[in-house]
Amino acid sequence: MNRRVAVVGRPNVGKSTLFNALRDVRGWRESSKIERKVFEGAVRAQLVSPMARTTRDVRVAPGRLGDLRFDLLDTAGYETEDEVPSEIGYGENWKGMSDAMRGRALDSIATADVVLLVLDAVEGISGIDFEVTDWLRKNVQAPRLVIFNKCEFDRRPSEHDIKVARSFVGKGDLRDEPIFISAQHGDGFPDLLQALRTLP
């Protein structure tokens, strides 16, 4: 059975970009007809947008990094109803949707072997990142990898944000330090591969 790798974080940190970068499209084409039927919707869809909250459900697809193969899960951005900006225009239609999306995400990642907690190196750490981490600690037993995304061109988050990210690492997690990647360009993927290799 493949390992299950879940991608989690607040809206617009690049979770779907990372999901698309790690998808194993060739492996999907070579898989059995039954497996293709299960994964075909997720593999065809590339939900990447500069607008936050594009992903509202859990997507699953075969994943691959180096010689590692796994089942990859992309989740909707974690937020509460109070955190949705009024200018995006969802109005009453959004009421209750945040709870529903968190419930769907929790159901899907409950059996994950590792959670990739994605942070934004450009915008820095926000209060929602603390909420996501607290939610994971309370609800998910899988070890975490803390990842700063959008680190292309040698960009790094502030020293303060790196220090805060270290506090997000818990006992039993795969690595004591955050990993710096660019999901768009593939920077830092060797470090991610090395960390995933440590899964028991």
Side-chain angles (χ1 to χ4, degrees), residues 11-13 47 56 63 69 91-92 108 129 145 150 153 181 190:
N12 223 33
V13 294
L47 298 179
R56 299 189 191 177
R69 297 197 180 197
E92 287 300 314
S108 297
D129 294 314
L145 283 171
K150 307 181 185 179
F153 311 120
I181 71 164

Side-chain angles (χ1 to χ4, degrees), residues 69-119:
R69 297 197 180 197
F70 42 85
D71 293 338
L72 188 62
L73 294 83
D74 182 23
T75 62
Y78 178 100
E79 61 190 344
T80 65
E81 292 177 19
D82 294 338
E83 291 156 352
V84 180
S86 58
E87 63 267 19
I88 67 175
Y90 288 119
E92 287 300 314
N93 293 330
W94 192 263
K95 190 174 183 180
M97 190 176 291
S98 298
D99 288 340
M101 289 190 301
R102 283 198 306 276
R104 290 275 298 176
L106 181 57
D107 288 344
S108 297
I109 66 178
T111 58
D113 294 290
V114 62
V115 172
L116 307 184
L117 173 59
V118 184
L119 308 172

Side-chain angles (χ1 to χ4, degrees), residues 20 34 44 55 60 71 73 82 89 104 147 155 182 186 199:
N20 288 328
I34 293 176
R44 288 177 182 172
T55 303
V60 184
D71 293 338
L73 294 83
D82 294 338
R104 290 275 298 176
I147 296 173
R155 179 187 290 129
S182 168
L199 270 173

Side-chain angles (χ1 to χ4, degrees), residues 10-76:
R10 63 180 168 87
N12 223 33
V13 294
K15 297 184 302 301
S16 292
T17 302
L18 180 58
F19 175 86
N20 288 328
L22 295 177
R23 288 182 312 135
D24 182 13
V25 177
R26 185 179 67 180
W28 170 76
R29 290 174 179 154
E30 296 171 352
S31 61
S32 70
K33 181 182 289 187
I34 293 176
E35 289 173 327
R36 286 200 303 272
K37 186 175 181 181
V38 171
F39 289 123
E40 64 182 351
V43 172
R44 288 177 182 172
Q46 295 191 20
L47 298 179
V48 176
S49 168
M51 181 181 295
R53 303 165 185 86
T54 300
T55 303
R56 299 189 191 177
D57 207 343
V58 176
R59 297 186 298 155
V60 184
R64 183 173 188 171
L65 184 58
D67 60 348
L68 293 183
R69 297 197 180 197
F70 42 85
D71 293 338
L72 188 62
L73 294 83
D74 182 23
T75 62

